[in-house]
Amino acid sequence: MHIERVEIRRVYMPYVSPFETSGWREEGIHHIIIRLDVDGATGWGETPIGRNPFYNEENTDTCWILQRDYLIPSLLQTDLSSPYDVPGAFAKIRGNRMAKSGLEFAVWDLFGHIEGRSMAAMLGGTRSEVAVGVSVGIQKDIDTLLDVVGEYLDDGYRRIKLKIKPGWDIEPTRAVREKWPDLALQVDANSIYTLGDAEHLAELDEFNLLLIEQPLPHDDIFDHAKLVPQVNTPICLDESIVSSDHARWALEMNACGIINIKPSRIGGFVDAIRIHDLCQAHNVPVWHGGMLESGIGRASNVALASLPNFSLPGDISANSRYFHRDIVTNPFTLNEGSTLTVPTTPGCGAIVDEAYLEEVTVDKLEFRPQ
Ligand code: NPG
């Protein structure tokens, strides 16, 4: 099968409230939405990339250029018999995994519509609901943090992740732990510490956290392996795991006890499933990260999170936690028990609000086979 038409759109959608990590602060998303068409069937995908290269090396501009000049021309030339053909179509192009991922997701969605299968079923999902939590950005002070966490708990979320950085780590975590002694709580440093901070990071051990996520640099695995024996809390890798090979290296080096899988960071579902399976074989739990996706990327995240080894709650909150209005007409709502329901309709299950998508579009391009 050859794709007949590709459309990419840069979109801007404001968040309900700004999101701040140890490395950046954003007021909204600057993602790329992809649409593929073949013979009356449509597939949607999202590259949930940052406007600036502060999380990884890519940004919206680099993804746009890579998709326009390399990835879409390759995809249009490829005779696809399954979504598993996509990584091969992109194999010559090194790195740029976020740029690749949205196109791969759209091919999965397209095949789901053509074959009448849900994305979760295609990926090997086994759950009808996935456990989710909220990632709480850095706040202006501890009182505000406690209010924000309290609101999410009132909404029904049962797992909270706190963003931390030097000067905003031990005390905010202590305050949340003291107020909610039984809360499932974890922290995320987004690569801001160094191995010299090992003793400081070990101070987090007293708070009974599920995990400490990506304390050391984004491209490091070696020093994480040195950190692991110095803290009792499980170390989870995010930024450092960009492929199934990186996951294998980390497991062989004992650089982490848990892995956060974001399929967009890894270039798509094909390699993300390999990481899931590898971790399962090693009895290493995984959980699904988030990149504040619109309803399109959110639906495909929920599908992947339905695989069996996603055994910790994901950063996949209900759409209303991110946006007042989303580009889908069927947003996820939080179930009792802090879960989202896995769609069973063909593809990822998102119903795109094309009129609103047009409103939030900043730029768009269309491609057809030459
Ligand atoms: O709920 O989607 C969400 C946000 C989860 O904290 C979250 N994502 O470092 O994991 C992260 C962070 C992130 C956001 C990373 C945007 C990159 C871009």
Side-chain angles (χ1 to χ4, degrees), residues 169-214:
D169 44 23
I170 311 299
E171 292 319 315
T173 309
R174 183 190 310 284
V176 173
R177 177 49 86 216
E178 279 177 358
K179 186 148 185 195
W180 293 284
D182 300 325
L183 175 63
L185 185 64
Q186 61 194 59
V187 295
D188 182 6
N190 285 109
S191 313
I192 198 72
Y193 298 95
T194 66
L195 192 56
D197 296 313
E199 265 181 43
H200 180 70
L201 289 166
E203 288 178 43
L204 291 165
D205 284 342
E206 68 172 294
F207 305 126
N208 187 26
L209 302 177
L210 292 169
L211 56 93
I212 301 173
E213 185 179 353
Q214 194 69 38

Side-chain angles (χ1 to χ4, degrees), residues 19 21 24 48 55 135 161 163 188 190 213 238-239 260 262 290-293 298 315-317 321-322:
F19 188 73
T21 74
W24 70 92
Y55 168 77
S135 172
K161 159 167 140 180
K163 292 290 191 183
D188 182 6
N190 285 109
E213 185 179 353
D238 170 5
E239 283 92 323
N260 162 338
K262 288 177 184 158
M291 301 188 68
L292 302 111
E293 286 86 350
R298 187 159 310 283
D315 279 347
I316 322 176
S317 318
R321 174 257 178 273
Y322 307 91

Side-chain angles (χ1 to χ4, degrees), residues 247-259:
R248 182 171 55 80
W249 300 331
L251 297 186
E252 284 182 14
M253 290 167 69
N254 204 10
C256 62
I258 298 172
I259 290 182

Side-chain angles (χ1 to χ4, degrees), residues 6 40 80 100 126 146-147 151 162 170 219 222 224 264 271 285 287-288 303 333:
V6 182
L80 295 167
K100 292 173 179 171
T126 54
L146 294 176
D147 287 348
E151 280 170 29
L162 303 179
I170 311 299
D219 53 358
F222 190 75
H224 277 106
S264 47
D271 210 26
W287 58 283
H288 203 299
T333 52

Side-chain angles (χ1 to χ4, degrees), residues 11-204:
V11 297
Y12 176 74
M13 280 162 57
Y15 297 141
V16 168
S17 54
F19 188 73
E20 184 171 332
T21 74
S22 64
W24 70 92
R25 178 185 167 88
E26 270 299 352
E27 310 275 331
I29 59 169
H30 298 258
H31 295 176
I32 300 176
I33 301 295
I34 296 118
R35 173 181 175 149
L36 308 177
D37 286 287
V38 179
D39 198 19
T42 299
W44 294 95
E46 175 170 356
T47 282
I49 184 65
R51 177 169 60 113
N52 297 302
F54 298 159
Y55 168 77
N56 66 353
E57 296 89 340
E58 300 176 74
N59 71 6
T60 315
D61 290 329
T62 67
C63 287
W64 188 256
I65 291 168
L66 262 289
Q67 291 180 349
R68 184 191 66 194
D69 295 350
Y70 295 93
L71 299 169
I72 292 171
S74 295
L75 193 62
L76 285 171
Q77 278 174 15
T78 304
D79 186 6
L80 295 167
S81 56
S82 110
Y84 285 95
D85 294 335
V86 177
F90 296 161
K92 267 183 81 162
I93 300 142
R94 295 192 175 172
N96 293 285
R97 293 179 175 88
M98 301 276 309
K100 292 173 179 171
S101 69
L103 292 163
E104 201 210 89
F105 301 148
V107 172
W108 282 93
D109 189 43
L110 180 67
F111 271 89
H113 284 284
I114 291 170
E115 295 174 0
R117 298 176 71 201
S118 74
M119 197 179 264
M122 296 170 85
L123 297 173
T126 54
R127 298 167 205 275
S128 56
E129 291 181 17
V130 299
V132 301
V134 181
S135 172
V136 178
I138 290 167
Q139 305 294 319
K140 69 176 192 309
D141 53 41
I142 287 179
D143 285 346
T144 310
L145 175 68
L146 294 176
D147 287 348
V148 170
V149 170
E151 280 170 29
Y152 287 130
L153 297 180
D154 289 347
D155 289 343
Y157 291 102
R158 290 290 165 264
R159 189 281 269 151
I160 295 289
K161 159 167 140 180
L162 303 179
K163 292 290 191 183
I164 59 167
K165 65 175 182 180
W168 180 267
D169 44 23
I170 311 299
E171 292 319 315
T173 309
R174 183 190 310 284
V176 173
R177 177 49 86 216
E178 279 177 358
K179 186 148 185 195
W180 293 284
D182 300 325
L183 175 63
L185 185 64
Q186 61 194 59
V187 295
D188 182 6
N190 285 109
S191 313
I192 198 72
Y193 298 95
T194 66
L195 192 56
D197 296 313
E199 265 181 43
H200 180 70
L201 289 166
E203 288 178 43
L204 291 165

